[in-house]
Amino acid sequence: MILVPDLADVERYATSDAERRLARLLRSVDSDLEAVAFHSVKLRSHAYKQQAEADFVILYKGVVVVVEVKGGGVRKHDGVWYSIDRRSDWHRLGGSPMEQARSASFALRDILREEGIGWFPHESIVVTPDIDSPPHSVEWHASHWLAKDEMNVARLASALNAVVANARHAPANQKIARPSDLRTRLFGEFTRVPVIDAQRGAVLEEQNRATEGQARVLAALARNPRVLVYGGAGTGKSLVLAEGAKQEADQGRSVLITFGSPGLVDFFAPRIAGRAIDLVPFGALNATKKYDAVFVDEAQDLMTAEGMDLLDTVIYGGRASGRWRMFLDPNNQAHVDGEFDADVLALVADEATTLDLDLNVRNTQAIVHVVQEYLGADVGDPGIVHGEKVQWHTPSDAADVEAAEAIAADLVSSGVRRSEIWIVRTDSVEQTTTTTNGFTVITPRYAKGLEAEHVVVCCLPTEFDLAGTAAFYVAVTRARVSLHIVASKADKRTLQLLVKKQLAQA
């Protein structure tokens, strides 16, 4: 069974050992290959509280099972329910564990119905792994309270089968939820990915729901052996890729993440730490080692016959029959670092399920509009982040790194941390450097796939050919919060011609 988040994160963040033990067992249940268990999910509406939490929500054989887990003992005394910890201290509960599970189940039902998902079968169960036998009551079926005897993989699978076998049937004249829609909505509700708060200029500490597109891709990754994901800069491709890779590794598969852009090592390494996932730049791949699942980021960089032939050698079953996921930008950043063959892409696309990410979760609306106006590039709907306008600067001297550094210094004087600022020069492919004043100077080749709070772009292309256009595209789509563009008078005239070109092609 797929765990969301994966077992490593559940082990790290679960508040009770009972939840960890149940997570380990759930991951090993394989009687439903499409089953998904979401851990510790917050529900946005509740009959009695603003927000409630279910320990697990499981989609199993088309039935949503909401699980309340209680470690230690559970006892009812004089009509009041108590939990008993390992020190034998009693703690009063607001109701029976089954009431808690049912309340969360009804809240989830209401949330999804409000979103138009339709009726779906749902059940509520309690798991108390430390007691020998569950309490008996006419208020619930004995099959819906699992105790110590069910705490092995075979007995847990049998118990889940019994629960879903007796799930209620749809009432008459009800719209029935499609299983694929239900699965996608659950991924959207309960998968946590960072969303940028452009007003504060930081990634929110709390996690936010995946966008509809990200949820659709995550759900599809689990069900399809070969997937091609298109998304412009800022649509969250790399974040979704990392989550998908963690899920594959959690299922016991050998997993590779590969890419052409050198800066992506630092992006992925902390996100997959502690997992059995190999992180290997494409240029360092060893054709003698094969993987059950291969993830390729910025795949447009590698979209050549030679590149695809090398991938073919590292996937069990080969590219035609193996398990792989490629994420690429349709705006073709390959001219910054790599090669791109449209004919090869057409062949690869025929082998895969194709999906799109179409909501920009990085750039402010103003930045998205600049990209659309000057480059005609589709970087997704600017529906999430709002922020300040793009700032244009025309220095009296050269529009170079020195001019950009003066703008960066002004940002620092206004309260921005120096570490949050990048100076991106589009006329170079050199490695990242630091100025004597401590500002990072990066080129599109090393910035691709990454992002910064504040970006100052300088040294604009003298010609917007394929390479120049790609470099400018990468540079202006790195910013989360503010974008400053240093442009000479000659640069502005070139950009005006670029706008006219886009208008003529529209």
Side-chain angles (χ1 to χ4, degrees), residues 18 48 53 74 102 130 161 164 170 190 199 250 270 274 287 306 349 352 363 373 379 411 423 445 479 484 489 502-503:
Y48 308 107
E53 187 168 312
V74 178
R102 285 175 175 167
D130 298 317
N161 285 330
V164 302
F190 304 135
Q199 299 296 338
D250 205 40
E306 296 76 15
N363 306 127
E373 180 181 9
V379 289
L411 288 171
I423 295 172
R445 179 170 186 258
H484 297 257
K489 291 181 179 178
Q502 298 304 326
L503 291 173

Side-chain angles (χ1 to χ4, degrees), residues 46 184 321 338 435:
H46 192 267
T184 297
S321 303
T435 70

Side-chain angles (χ1 to χ4, degrees), residues 28-46:
S28 298
V29 171
D30 60 4
S31 48
D32 176 8
L33 297 179
E34 294 193 356
V36 189
F38 302 91
H39 172 254
S40 193
V41 300
K42 297 184 183 298
L43 301 170
R44 293 173 288 117
S45 63
H46 192 267

Side-chain angles (χ1 to χ4, degrees), residues 35 42 56 65-66 105 133 200 202 249 282 355 425 505:
K42 297 184 183 298
F56 288 90
V65 182
V66 176
S105 180
S133 58
R200 293 214 314 260
F282 193 73
L355 300 167
R425 56 179 305 167
Q505 293 176 347

Side-chain angles (χ1 to χ4, degrees), residues 355-375:
L355 300 167
D356 294 289
L357 286 170
D358 51 13
L359 186 65
N360 193 296
V361 296
R362 174 199 297 155
N363 306 127
T364 65
Q365 288 187 352
I367 295 172
V368 171
H369 289 317
V370 163
V371 176
Q372 292 170 340
E373 180 181 9
Y374 287 92
L375 301 176

